[in-house]
Structure formats: C-alpha cells, structure tokens
Amino acid sequence: MTYDVVVIGGGPSGLMAAHTAAKNGANTLIIEKGSKLGRKLAISGGGRCNVTNVLPDKELIDHIPGNGRFLYSAFSIFDNQAIIDFFENLGVALKEEDKGRMFPVSDSAQTVVQTLLRELDRHHVEKRLNTRVEAIHYGNEVHEIILPGKEKVATKSVVIAVGGKSVPKTGSEGDGYAWAKTAGHTITELYPTEVPMTSKEPFIRNRTLQGISLRDVAITALKPNGKPIKTHRWDLLFTHQGISGPAALRLSQFVVKALKKFEVDELVVEIDSFPDEHENQLVDRLTKMAKESPNKAVKSVWKPLLPERFLLFILERIGLNPDTTYHHLEKKKVMELAQELKHFQIKVNGTLSIEKAFITGGGVSLKEIVPNQMASKFMDGLYFCGEILDIHGYTGGFNITAAFSTGYVAGLNAAERALGR
C-alpha cells in the first residue's frame, strides 16, 4: 500500500497530525501498536482531559521550561486559542478552571477522544491498530515502513508521534528514538519530569504523613549551600515514597538536574505552608487565635489552619504538647511552630523512574528540526511531533498544548510536502 502521509503513534499529537494531514487532502494512515487510539488522552487530566491552557503565549512558554521558546513558530500557526476553537467547532463545549486549565464541560476525556476519532473517520484516515512498526527505511522520494511479517507500507511523508518513555502502558516505550537516530538525529539525554519525588526520611518510611494534602503551598528545592534553585506554588501530597501533587511534580525536574549537577545523593526541599504571610505575622496570628480561646487546647484552636495529622506531627516535632492551652503557651514554642510551618524541610534522594513520570524530559534535538514545519533538517519527508521532541512542560494543559500544536504543524506540512504544494 502507498500513502501520502503515514503517522506513527495514536496519542494527542499523532491524532492531530493525522486529522490535519487528511483534512488537507492527503491520503493518510495512522499506525498504533496498541488496541486503541487516544489512550494517553483518555487518562489525561485525571480522566477529564485538560485540552489546553488559556494563558497568553509568553506565559504559556514560561510554563514549558523544557525548550518552550522553540514553540513560538508552532503557536503562531496553531496556538491554544486555535485548539479551543477546533474543539468547540466540533461540538465539544469547554470550560475554564483554575490556573487557566480548559476541560470539556462533560468532564470526560472520552468526549475529546471520540470527537477526534469521528473526525478521522470523516476524513477517511485509515487506521492500523495492534500494529508494531519494526523499522523505517528512508528513501529519497518515498519511505518504507516495515510492519510485522515483512509487510511494507510506502509513503511520501512520515510523521513520528510515538511519545517518549513515560506512561508505557499507553504505548510510549521510546520506540521512536531509534528511527530518529537512523535518520541522523541526535537524542538528548532522557530524564523523568512531572514525577513524584522520593525520600528516605523516617516520617516518610513510617508513612506518618502518607495521604496528607497541603493546599496552595510554596515548595522550594535548595542547593547544597542552602540557596534556592526553584520554587513552585500549588498543592502537595505526602505519599508512602515521598512527595507528590502538582507543586512537587513541577519541581521534580529541577531536583533531578540538581542531584546530577552537584553530584549529591540528597537535596533539601522546603515547604512553606503559608506563602502569603511573613513568619512574624504567622506568630502573631497563632498567638491571637490561642488568646481568643484561652481555655481550649492548641490542637483544637489551630486545627482550621492545617490538616490535623500534619499539625500534630509538627507539634510533636517541636516538643509542644497538643493539649496545651494559651495560659501555658510559651512564645518560644509559637515561634518554633511558625518556623516549621514556613520552612518544613524534607530531604529527597530522587524521583520515581521515567516510566512512572507523566512526561519525558529530553528527546529529538530541536537544533535538527525546522520549527515552523516540525520537519527533519536531515531527511526530506520526515516530521516529528509531541513528546518525542526535546520539549516538556508542567502539568496543567501545557504538554497537551505542545502536542496538539506540533501535531497540527507536522500534519499540515507532511501533507503539503506529499502533495507537492
């Protein structure tokens, strides 16, 4: 069989690339080694599918710390507003939630997946599921894709959209790196991002804080000399292995890089539970609350401020009896409590594996990609999109925006090239 465009990979970028190529007149095939298209989309956003983020371009780029600036060209062609228009024009009503995140009103990722699949059918995209690509043989005019049983598929344009090495259950197992290398591309070092951090602290190993969530905290990774590396503010979750939640996930890539850079086994991460208050203001507030209920135990008085187990853990840590009342409360202990609440430290020794990460850092070197085409600089008719590229963002709709945008640009240019336009 011969096609104008073959897209390998049925994730967000691959689906968008196949749709765009077909819509622009290319006879298109999408190949997916799994049994379903859109598996990563179906689990994104906790199963609700955070399709994009409405932040302005500059802020959007700032939330894609892994080479986000490379995306300016792609965003000039197909940006977050274009993604919103795309889905709403297809009947997917969207709603904005906190921090600019856009979700389908249905609160179901299946709404997004099914809409894209219907579009593939409408534009006659041929699908090959449960089909593993064994190799790509590149040619001058036509490329051959080798499938099981030595079956060959010829195409003028190939779009590689197979993802990175994160969440392998969705099919992202790093297959595409070898095909990129065969075409002469460099793969930058791969590492986990948006991944829970691990710790050997006794209170983590003993699961003392497991399951406790802290809302809207600031979390900072510190250099070995105590100076800050990076701070993120959002929610945090203590786990049986360390810390997770959006704030920790965002910080994880900086911890991974710092452990390597400083050649240390552990780094200190500091949690500020009250980032809008100075320490002395917190001391005053804690004292005032205790004074206003002088006969009540401090554990009850301060309970509205923090999850109870976290509060009791810190009171024990500073040696303050939780049944103490205002009449016996030492100012020194209130100051120690405020210090802990503003500078709670946890030593982290790394992260979970790249397979457990939400996103892969590293990938096909962007120096070798034409930014307004997603085309290979080395191989005519070869395009890349999505997570296989050395681009990564924070959770919150940023990675999927990069995936849809690069998928659109890759699909468009793959079709244009194949059709000789």
Side-chain angles (χ1 to χ4, degrees):
M1 287 290 292
T2 301
Y3 295 88
D4 296 322
V5 175
V6 173
V7 177
I8 308 173
S13 67
L15 290 172
M16 184 60 80
H19 169 270
T20 307
K23 190 177 179 182
N24 282 275
N27 177 22
T28 304
L29 168 69
I30 186 167
I31 301 173
E32 165 59 44
K33 69 181 175 188
S35 59
K36 290 180 181 176
L37 294 170
R39 283 184 297 171
K40 204 160 192 176
L41 264 180
I43 63 169
S44 68
R48 296 197 301 135
C49 194
N50 183 182
V51 296
T52 190
N53 194 294
V54 294
L55 288 176
D57 274 6
K58 186 186 179 304
E59 289 182 59
L60 208 59
I61 298 294
D62 289 343
H63 283 78
I64 305 174
N67 298 314
R69 292 178 65 82
F70 176 82
L71 291 168
Y72 272 118
S73 292
F75 286 169
S76 71
I77 299 165
F78 194 75
D79 63 3
N80 51 359
Q81 189 55 54
I83 293 168
I84 292 167
D85 293 343
F86 172 83
F87 282 108
E88 293 197 327
N89 289 338
L90 293 174
V92 180
L94 300 175
K95 60 180 177 177
E96 182 179 343
E97 295 192 5
D98 64 313
K99 301 183 186 292
R101 298 178 299 159
M102 296 296 292
F103 289 91
V105 170
S106 67
D107 280 328
S108 171
Q110 285 304 323
T111 307
V112 176
V113 174
Q114 292 306 318
T115 298
L116 284 168
L117 295 184
R118 275 198 308 272
E119 280 298 289
L120 295 192
D121 289 341
R122 191 161 75 90
H123 293 288
H124 310 293
V125 174
E126 195 171 323
K127 307 178 194 74
R128 290 286 296 266
L129 304 179
N130 297 306
T131 303
R132 185 178 286 273
V133 171
E134 297 193 344
I136 303 175
H137 294 164
Y138 299 106
N140 292 326
E141 291 294 322
V142 174
H143 307 305
E144 275 191 341
I145 296 165
I146 312 302
L147 303 179
K150 297 187 178 174
E151 182 186 353
K152 295 178 182 177
V153 172
T155 183
K156 294 173 186 173
S157 295
V158 180
V159 179
I160 298 179
V162 289
K165 289 193 77 173
S166 306
V167 202
K169 68 179 181 182
T170 63
S172 297
E173 296 176 327
D175 300 347
Y177 301 127
W179 308 329
K181 282 182 180 176
T182 303
H185 284 278
T186 308
I187 308 302
T188 62
E189 185 179 356
L190 305 176
Y191 56 93
T193 77
E194 302 298 302
V195 62
M197 288 184 261
T198 55
S199 172
K200 293 179 180 174
E201 292 272 20
F203 61 85
I204 294 294
R205 285 185 159 180
N206 299 338
R207 306 189 176 207
T208 310
L209 301 179
Q210 183 182 345
I212 294 175
S213 291
L214 300 178
R215 304 289 178 201
D216 192 24
V217 299
I219 175 172
T220 305
L222 302 176
K223 294 179 183 177
N225 65 6
K227 291 188 176 177
I229 299 169
K230 185 75 177 177
T231 299
H232 276 297
R233 183 169 171 175
W234 207 345
D235 303 339
L236 183 80
L237 173 70
F238 289 99
T239 72
H240 67 291
Q241 292 168 298
I243 48 175
S244 187
L249 295 176
R250 287 190 169 192
L251 195 68
S252 62
Q253 62 179 287
F254 300 96
V255 168
V256 169
K257 291 171 187 171
L259 286 167
K260 187 167 186 178
K261 177 181 176 181
F262 297 112
E263 298 180 333
V264 291
D265 295 327
E266 291 182 319
L267 278 180
V268 170
V269 166
E270 193 170 87
I271 300 166
D272 180 353
S273 295
F274 295 92
D276 292 326
E277 283 182 81
H278 292 298
E279 206 168 306
N280 55 355
Q281 291 175 308
L282 189 55
V283 169
D284 291 344
R285 179 147 75 111
L286 291 165
T287 305
K288 183 169 181 274
M289 288 175 78
K291 189 175 182 180
E292 285 173 350
S293 303
N295 299 317
K296 265 190 172 181
V298 290
K299 69 179 179 186
S300 301
V301 172
W302 293 330
K303 188 177 172 183
L305 298 178
L306 292 160
E308 187 175 16
R309 274 170 51 220
F310 187 57
L311 174 63
L312 291 174
F313 174 76
I314 292 181
L315 292 179
E316 183 183 351
R317 204 172 182 177
I318 64 171
L320 175 56
N321 186 330
D323 293 318
T324 302
T325 63
Y326 175 73
H327 303 295
H328 301 97
L329 186 60
E330 299 174 53
K331 180 159 187 183
K332 177 182 168 218
K333 288 297 176 190
V334 180
M335 292 170 73
E336 284 180 31
L337 175 60
Q339 163 80 16
E340 280 288 310
L341 294 178
K342 292 289 290 178
H343 306 281
F344 182 90
Q345 294 194 339
I346 173 171
K347 290 176 183 167
V348 296
N349 63 345
T351 68
L352 298 184
S353 69
I354 195 167
E355 289 78 17
K356 298 283 176 65
F358 285 97
I359 303 295
T360 302
V364 176
S365 172
L366 300 179
K367 294 174 185 172
E368 303 162 0
I369 304 294
V370 182
N372 63 347
Q373 297 177 8
M374 295 300 139
S376 165
K377 289 183 178 178
F378 301 151
M379 184 64 65
D380 190 28
L382 176 62
Y383 301 82
F384 295 93
C385 57
E387 206 180 326
I388 191 170
L389 293 164
D390 184 8
I391 297 169
H392 63 270
Y394 299 134
T395 54
F398 304 105
N399 290 293
I400 204 165
T401 300
F404 282 144
S405 180
T406 56
Y408 181 92
V409 173
L412 175 66
N413 286 278
E416 298 281 305
R417 188 264 178 194
L419 299 171
R421 293 176 186 154

